[in-house]
């Protein structure tokens, strides 16, 4: 079968790899000049299989409003908010207040995280890609006694699902992270022992090269304008080329993995995907003193900033901002990220010289990604992973390939069904 994958980010490229591995002819359509150049480019670099949780968290609803008015608060809202932003927020509230939904979705996402870790380990063994990847765990710091107490319920849930984790004392935290010499408040941490790290942008580019060596056609600087379909199936994709011309690419099946840009392709077929571009920021800088930097990934709950070791570099990421597709990078956001790093790993890097980035996480209002068959027999979706695209990409690629092959997917996909927003 000739399968067209729309989107060459980490989700699209892992999907292409899994389909090619199963013997399909695959063409990837990517609007940028290289793979992984949008949401995948400067993300938090953590493969946080045990951390995944739904966006529509009822416990966060009442915390969100004070965050909006706090200078260093992790949640920001562009004022006045757009109609799209308000629609997304109201949908989030509806899902957050749906009894039992958060717990069901969280378990579903954790199960996909477990599967994704297994697939990543297999893929890394098969290909040996260089992307500063490791699996040395993640520490979720507790800046207050209440935060540490709150981690106990998470620890119990992870144990129930067979995900290794430990509650650490401050002394154990500093033993695991000897470079943590800052004066930030610390009452302990929850250790996700098998979580991973890695440069998602490098991974996507290296995987694209490996796919091309195996026969996958990756077409850059092209944009999927629309799907050509009847009432039953998609026959082709209308593609705008780099010179502005149009062509028709025939396909036996199509997978949409276009992140925040997925909806316009399926909307004409009656499927609405309420994916919102949740904005985040990051700094990437060489470590001037690697011994003073993080060993793996540190989530600083005081500023809600994640600091990750990537070889001899540091990636620090923060903020959840609802500002539509605004790409401005305010200095205040970067200052907060720098403040967090200095409070934990002082002097590890010249943060003023860091490469800055902003990008859009393709978030659904309830939280789980959109994985499964679309509104036509041969149309499939693997998109809307929010902040966990890097983490869940290998697992979701495997299960969407299983769906296309007519196999029983490795995990239950009820929480990820594409049509749930219209039910």
């Amino acid at each position: 079968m000739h399968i067209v994958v729309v989107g060459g980010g980490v989700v699209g490229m892992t999907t292409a790899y899994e389909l090619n591995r199963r013997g399909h002819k695959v063409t990837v359509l990517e609007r940028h000049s290289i793979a992984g150049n949008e949401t995948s480019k400067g993300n938090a670099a953590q493969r946080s299989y045990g951390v995944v949780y739904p966006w529509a968290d009822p416990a966060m609803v009442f915390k969100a409003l004070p965050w909006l008015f706090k200078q260093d608060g992790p949640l920001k809202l562009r004022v006045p908010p757009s109609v799209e932003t308000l629609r997304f927020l109201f949908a989030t509230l509806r899902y957050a207040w749906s009894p039992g939904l958060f717990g069901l979705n969280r378990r579903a996402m954790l199960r996909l995280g477990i599967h994704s870790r297994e697939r990543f380990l297999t893929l890394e063994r098969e290909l040996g890609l260089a992307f500063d990847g490791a699996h040395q765990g993640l520490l979720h710091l507790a800046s207050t006694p209440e935060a540490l107490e709150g981690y106990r319920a998470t620890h119990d849930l992870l144990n129930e699902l067979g995900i290794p984790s430990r509650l650490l004392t401050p002394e154990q935290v500093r033993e695991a992270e000897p470079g943590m010499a800052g004066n930030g408040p610390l009452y302990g941490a929850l250790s996700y022992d098998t979580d991973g790290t890695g440069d998602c942008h490098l991974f996507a580019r290296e995987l694209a090269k490996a796919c091309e060596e195996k026969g996958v056609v990756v077409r850059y600087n092209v944009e999927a304008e629309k799907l050509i379909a009847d009432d039953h199936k998609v026959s082709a994709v209308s593609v705008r080329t780099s010179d502005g011309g149009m062509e028709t690419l025939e396909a036996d099946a199509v997978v949409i993995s276009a992140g925040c840009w997925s909806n316009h392709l399926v909307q004409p077929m009656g499927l609405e995907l309420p994916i919102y571009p949740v904005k985040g920021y990051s700094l990437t800088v060489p470590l001037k003193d690697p011994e003073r930097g993080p060993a793996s990934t540190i989530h600083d709950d005081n500023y809600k900033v994640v600091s990750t070791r990537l070889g001899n570099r540091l990636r620090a990421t923060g903020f959840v901002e609802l500002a539509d597709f605004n790409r401005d990078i305010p200095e205040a956001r970067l200052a907060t990220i720098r403040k967090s790093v200095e409070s934990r790993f002082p002097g590890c890097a010249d943060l003023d010289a860091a490469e800055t980035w902003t990008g859009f996480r393709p978030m659904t209002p309830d939280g789980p990604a959109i994985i499964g068959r679309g509104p036509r027999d041969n149309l499939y979706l693997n998109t809307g992973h929010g902040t966990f695209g890097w983490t869940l990409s290998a697992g979701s690629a495997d299960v969407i390939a299983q769906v296309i092959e007519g196999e029983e997917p490795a995990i239950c996909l009820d929480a990820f069904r594409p049509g749930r927003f219209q039910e």
Side-chain angles (χ1 to χ4, degrees):
M1 231 180 6
H2 177 218
I3 303 177
V4 172
V5 177
V6 181
V10 68
V11 174
M13 289 316 310
T14 49
T15 299
Y17 176 78
E18 290 293 346
L19 292 171
N20 172 265
R21 192 173 66 85
R22 287 166 166 81
H24 296 289
K25 178 183 177 183
V26 181
T27 300
V28 178
L29 303 178
E30 170 52 46
R31 64 195 183 94
H32 287 282
S33 60
I34 54 177
N37 207 43
E38 189 60 65
T39 310
S40 302
K41 185 173 183 180
N43 66 17
Q46 60 183 98
R47 290 182 285 176
S48 46
Y49 318 108
V51 176
V52 290
Y53 59 90
W55 161 263
D57 181 353
M60 289 293 112
V61 171
F62 296 106
K63 294 180 181 180
L65 191 59
W67 283 345
L68 287 173
F69 298 99
K70 184 180 177 184
Q71 182 176 351
D72 293 329
L75 178 64
K76 299 298 178 184
L77 177 67
R78 188 181 185 185
V79 179
S82 67
V83 172
E84 291 76 13
T85 300
L86 291 173
R87 187 181 296 124
F88 179 72
L89 285 173
F90 283 125
T92 295
L93 289 173
R94 179 166 66 88
Y95 287 116
W97 290 335
S98 297
L101 184 63
F102 175 81
L104 291 172
N105 284 345
R106 187 181 190 187
R107 288 172 181 270
M109 293 175 70
L110 284 168
R111 291 188 179 100
L112 181 55
I114 293 169
H115 184 60
S116 195
R117 184 179 189 276
E118 294 171 355
R119 290 305 308 153
F120 264 120
L121 292 174
T122 300
L123 191 153
E124 290 176 38
R125 284 196 301 268
E126 291 174 349
L127 298 179
L129 304 179
F131 60 100
D132 287 332
H135 280 95
Q136 296 186 56
L138 177 151
L139 294 184
H140 203 152
L141 304 184
S143 296
T144 65
E146 294 77 17
L148 185 63
E149 187 61 32
Y151 295 162
R152 296 189 188 280
T154 299
H155 177 54
D156 291 342
L157 174 60
L158 296 176
N159 283 344
E160 178 189 331
L161 294 173
I163 301 172
S165 67
R166 292 172 295 147
L167 289 166
L168 305 183
T169 65
E171 293 73 24
Q172 290 172 318
V173 171
R174 291 192 171 93
E175 183 179 339
E177 287 285 349
M180 193 187 296
N183 59 4
L186 182 63
Y187 287 85
L190 177 59
S191 173
Y192 299 81
D193 294 341
T194 57
D195 277 11
T197 55
D199 188 322
C200 183
H201 183 48
L202 278 178
F203 177 87
R205 289 163 55 191
E206 291 300 307
L207 184 58
K209 293 176 187 176
C211 283
E212 288 180 296
E213 290 173 359
K214 294 177 180 295
V216 173
V217 175
V218 184
R219 297 187 58 185
Y220 297 106
N221 299 307
V222 299
E223 192 143 7
E225 289 283 311
K226 67 177 181 178
L227 304 178
I228 300 171
D230 58 24
D231 290 340
H232 301 287
K233 63 184 296 187
V234 177
S235 58
V237 182
S238 180
V239 179
R240 184 177 297 277
T241 59
S242 57
D243 60 4
M246 299 297 297
E247 68 175 71
T248 300
L249 180 62
E250 295 183 354
D252 298 309
V254 175
V255 182
I256 306 299
S257 295
C260 296
W261 295 268
S262 298
N263 188 50
H264 84 276
L265 292 170
V266 299
Q267 196 176 41
M269 300 180 187
L271 180 62
E272 191 74 31
L273 302 180
I275 298 172
Y276 186 88
V278 173
K279 187 179 181 182
Y281 301 87
S282 75
L283 301 170
T284 306
V285 64
L287 288 164
K288 68 179 183 182
D289 188 347
E291 297 300 317
R292 298 170 73 175
S296 188
T297 292
I298 296 294
H299 185 287
D300 177 10
D301 72 318
N302 196 32
Y303 290 98
K304 303 296 187 291
V305 167
V306 174
S307 296
T308 297
R309 177 72 165 264
L310 292 173
N312 287 320
R313 295 174 296 149
L314 171 75
R315 168 78 51 78
T317 312
F319 289 99
V320 167
E321 185 166 332
L322 307 181
D324 300 315
F325 284 102
N326 181 295
R327 290 187 184 269
D328 294 344
I329 304 180
E331 172 56 30
R333 308 288 187 269
L334 305 180
T336 297
I337 295 173
R338 288 193 290 262
K339 197 182 299 183
S340 171
V341 176
E342 283 297 318
S343 74
R344 301 298 180 182
F345 301 98
C348 70
D350 181 4
L351 297 173
D352 289 326
E355 176 186 351
T356 62
W357 173 88
T358 188
F360 308 108
R361 300 100 155 199
M363 188 72 74
T364 62
D366 57 349
I370 299 164
I371 307 170
R373 190 184 301 273
R376 297 297 184 270
D377 293 342
N378 62 339
L379 176 60
Y380 303 89
L381 294 114
N382 185 19
T383 190
H385 292 71
T387 56
F388 298 111
W390 178 211
T391 295
L392 300 178
S393 57
S396 64
D398 186 53
V399 294
I400 196 62
Q402 291 170 339
V403 170
I404 292 170
E405 292 274 87
E407 303 171 7
E408 184 71 22
I411 66 161
C412 176
L413 293 178
D414 286 352
F416 307 94
R417 61 195 185 282
R420 66 186 187 270
F421 305 107
Q422 294 166 291
E423 294 172 353

